[in-house]
Amino acid sequence: MKKNLVMLLVSVMLIFSLAACSSGSNGGNDPASTNTATEKPSNNPAATNASENDAEDGAGNSNETPEMDFDMGGRTIKIVNFWSLEIPEDNPDNIQRKKNLEDLMKKHNFKVEYVVIDGAEYQKKVTASLLAGEPVGDLIAVSKSYTIPSLVSQDLLWPIDEYTKNDKVFNPEVTNKIMQYNGRGYGFGGYTQGATGFFYNRTLMNNLGMKPLQEYINEDNWNWDTFLQVIKEANRDTNNDGKLDTWGLAGAGVLDSALASNETSLTKGDKQNLDDPKTVEVLNFLSKLSTDKLVRPSEGGDWTEPSQFFRQGNTLLYLSGNYEAEALNNDMKDFDIGFIPFPKGPNGTSYNTPDTNPGAMVIPKAAKNPEQLMYIWEKIETYDSVYDYPGQDWYERSFDNEDDINNVVLASKRFSFDSLSTFPSMPYYQFADEINKGQSVSTVIETYKTPFQAAIDEVYKK
């Protein structure tokens, strides 16, 4: 479970940074709505585009805010993050964003300062500044875990949902779901990119004579049942010495992805959700991995063990984010490495990528004229992208197989949110360990319902 913790921390930092750095309205393109970690902090110009499904439903019509005329009197707008959000001029999209900003500064008489706060001190300094009524900036990147409900319940932030109607720039899920409290939205962000799924060893798959995993995707038949079938088939004793020497799955730490795949969560608002039927299905599925001894057993290693197993070349599947593609390809030059989404659960309507601590930009109550700040952000990010879909440049640098690129896009089109990081005392890892050890699901649920609810109440009933 230590690996899950590290992956969560990486995801927290990079996911909310992307949500904070919304970039670009992609005209009439057919993009994907995404949220997950990237290989580095990025102001990728392809990161804010209406989702494919939204475009098909007509939701991609932007509802762009009409031109406004105001004078900010030379005000300096401070934009805060743990690295600089200054717009680089490294590609045509960013060049246009920079020009948009320069035109806006001239027209509306303001300046911009990019404030950088060290990541180790970030939450503490941002929170202290808001509580003191002296915010560190006007537009501040925050993580949901310490913002909803803690900061908004103290009336420290402006509700901004009335200014986020332009869904080519603003992701409605960020404002209306992730950063929602008591019916109002308090944060905003764009459409980010990346996906969590399985890297798989295509060379090993071929050597074992297995059905190509891509065929399950093409048939729309990649689900929990076929996933278990694939694992069982890859668990083999190839030299007939009585011991397995190839394995199907590198590690059992797949709880977050399994929850997302069945479109459920361990929490729901201010209530625990352990005994929801869809959650129970997930826990039974994970328990089966253990009780049927399907996962490659630990050899006493640390949280990096599943990654090390996969790099040995004798394990088929390894759960991670697509940001790890470059490192894996570099370390496994003798193998052909592919990428597929996590399989759909029985209640899954699509492939999903999980996030347990998303983030957004917020505006402190102490900042004047939030409508002007939101207008400026929107107009910076209003342009026609040169990319066909979000993340195109990154994905094409990471993979040379078109199927793998398409699978990253597929896995990133739907995003499943849980609020686990909001509750510091929640015994998440102990709970997951019990399930992964094959303990009775009903017993584990009954054991942890009360401590889960207590952890939630600790936050919501302050």
Side-chain angles (χ1 to χ4, degrees):
M1 297 311 297
K2 290 182 179 179
K3 179 202 172 191
N4 279 354
L5 175 60
V6 173
M7 291 296 293
L8 172 61
L9 294 175
V10 172
S11 178
V12 166
M13 295 179 69
L14 296 181
I15 291 170
F16 97 70
S17 67
L18 283 175
C21 304
S22 70
S23 311
S25 61
N26 195 15
N29 290 333
D30 185 25
S33 172
T34 63
N35 254 305
T36 194
T38 68
E39 82 273 38
K40 62 180 180 179
S42 171
N43 284 333
N44 193 309
T48 62
N49 297 276
S51 73
E52 181 177 8
N53 290 335
D54 285 346
E56 291 174 354
D57 295 339
N61 297 325
S62 67
N63 299 314
E64 182 177 343
T65 303
E67 292 294 320
M68 295 171 61
D69 188 14
F70 54 85
D71 189 318
M72 302 191 78
R75 172 182 174 182
T76 297
I77 299 173
K78 294 183 177 181
I79 303 176
V80 184
N81 193 22
F82 52 85
W83 74 81
S84 176
L85 297 184
E86 183 172 3
I87 302 170
E89 297 182 83
D90 54 355
N91 58 59
D93 281 13
N94 278 337
I95 290 171
Q96 183 59 56
R97 294 175 66 223
K98 188 70 171 286
K99 182 179 185 304
N100 288 352
L101 173 58
E102 292 170 350
D103 291 344
L104 287 162
M105 288 193 295
K106 183 177 180 180
K107 178 180 179 181
H108 298 291
N109 189 21
F110 68 92
K111 301 175 183 177
V112 171
E113 178 184 348
Y114 298 95
V115 179
V116 177
I117 299 175
D118 181 76
E121 298 290 323
Y122 193 87
Q123 176 182 337
K124 180 180 178 180
K125 289 187 175 181
V126 167
T127 301
S129 76
L130 292 171
L131 291 171
E134 299 177 352
V136 291
D138 303 283
L139 293 156
I140 306 174
V142 297
S143 185
K144 177 182 178 178
S145 61
Y146 59 87
T147 305
I148 306 292
S150 298
L151 297 180
V152 298
S153 64
Q154 299 178 70
D155 198 29
L156 298 174
L157 305 175
W158 285 109
I160 47 77
D161 44 11
E162 62 188 293
Y163 311 121
T164 58
K165 306 302 184 185
N166 184 344
D167 53 23
K168 285 186 178 179
V169 170
F170 301 111
N171 183 348
E173 276 211 316
V174 174
T175 300
N176 302 326
K177 183 176 180 181
I178 299 172
M179 302 300 290
Q180 191 270 351
Y181 181 74
N182 282 350
R184 297 300 306 271
Y186 288 85
F188 66 93
Y191 298 87
T192 57
Q193 59 190 261
T196 295
F198 284 110
F199 286 97
Y200 70 98
N201 189 327
R202 194 179 278 113
T203 302
L204 176 62
M205 176 191 75
N206 292 334
N207 289 342
L208 294 175
M210 298 178 63
K211 174 180 176 177
L213 300 192
Q214 185 61 38
E215 291 187 13
Y216 294 104
I217 299 292
N218 297 342
E219 298 164 355
D220 194 21
N221 190 33
W222 184 232
N223 53 49
W224 288 358
D225 289 337
T226 53
F227 169 69
L228 294 175
Q229 173 186 322
V230 164
I231 295 174
K232 292 176 182 178
E233 188 177 353
N235 286 338
R236 295 192 193 180
D237 172 14
T238 61
N239 59 7
N240 297 314
D241 67 352
K243 300 178 182 179
L244 295 181
D245 47 57
T246 67
W247 293 267
L249 182 60
V254 300
L255 175 56
D256 294 341
S257 289
L259 289 164
S261 75
N262 210 36
E263 299 181 15
T264 187
S265 59
L266 300 180
T267 67
K268 193 172 183 179
D270 61 355
K271 303 294 182 183
Q272 62 81 20
N273 197 43
L274 299 185
D275 47 8
D276 181 284
K278 292 194 292 185
T279 305
V280 174
E281 282 184 320
V282 171
L283 302 181
N284 283 322
F285 165 66
L286 296 179
S287 180
K288 185 176 181 63
L289 290 176
S290 174
T291 56
D292 288 1
K293 302 187 184 321
L294 300 180
V295 182
R296 179 170 177 173
S298 171
E299 297 176 1
D302 60 15
W303 62 270
T304 66
E305 188 175 58
S307 172
Q308 295 171 3
F309 282 165
F310 187 71
R311 281 170 163 82
Q312 292 174 7
N314 54 11
T315 306
L316 184 65
L317 295 164
Y318 164 56
L319 183 71
S320 186
N322 69 285
Y323 59 85
E324 200 173 350
E326 183 177 351
L328 287 173
N329 285 320
N330 184 64
D331 294 344
M332 303 177 69
K333 290 184 171 62
D334 294 333
F335 300 94
D336 182 10
I337 305 303
F339 185 92
I340 54 172
F342 195 94
K344 295 178 187 177
N347 287 283
T349 58
S350 68
Y351 299 109
N352 284 287
T353 283
D355 186 1
T356 57
N357 193 16
M361 298 299 291
V362 297
I363 301 178
K365 266 291 181 73
K368 298 179 180 179
N369 302 115
E371 74 283 357
Q372 295 177 1
L373 296 173
M374 294 298 297
Y375 174 83
I376 288 167
W377 189 281
E378 176 184 347
K379 294 306 179 183
I380 292 172
E381 306 300 340
T382 300
Y383 62 91
D384 290 327
S385 175
V386 301
Y387 296 96
D388 294 328
Y389 58 85
Q392 179 180 358
D393 179 60
W394 175 27
Y395 302 162
E396 290 179 351
R397 282 187 284 110
S398 301
F399 300 95
D400 55 15
N401 184 298
E402 186 175 351
D403 286 334
D404 299 331
I405 294 171
N406 291 338
N407 286 341
V408 175
V409 174
L410 186 63
S412 67
K413 285 183 179 180
R414 283 286 303 279
F415 199 72
S416 179
F417 301 101
D418 207 332
S419 301
L420 294 175
S421 297
T422 302
F423 313 111
S425 65
M426 183 170 286
Y428 168 82
Y429 294 103
Q430 298 94 313
F431 169 82
D433 279 341
E434 294 284 343
I435 295 296
N436 288 339
K437 289 175 182 176
Q439 301 292 349
S440 164
V441 169
S442 60
T443 300
V444 174
I445 289 174
E446 288 304 313
T447 300
Y448 283 90
K449 280 168 61 175
T450 298
F452 265 52
Q453 189 60 52
I456 296 170
D457 291 344
E458 188 178 82
V459 172
Y460 271 87
K461 294 186 177 181
K462 281 186 178 180

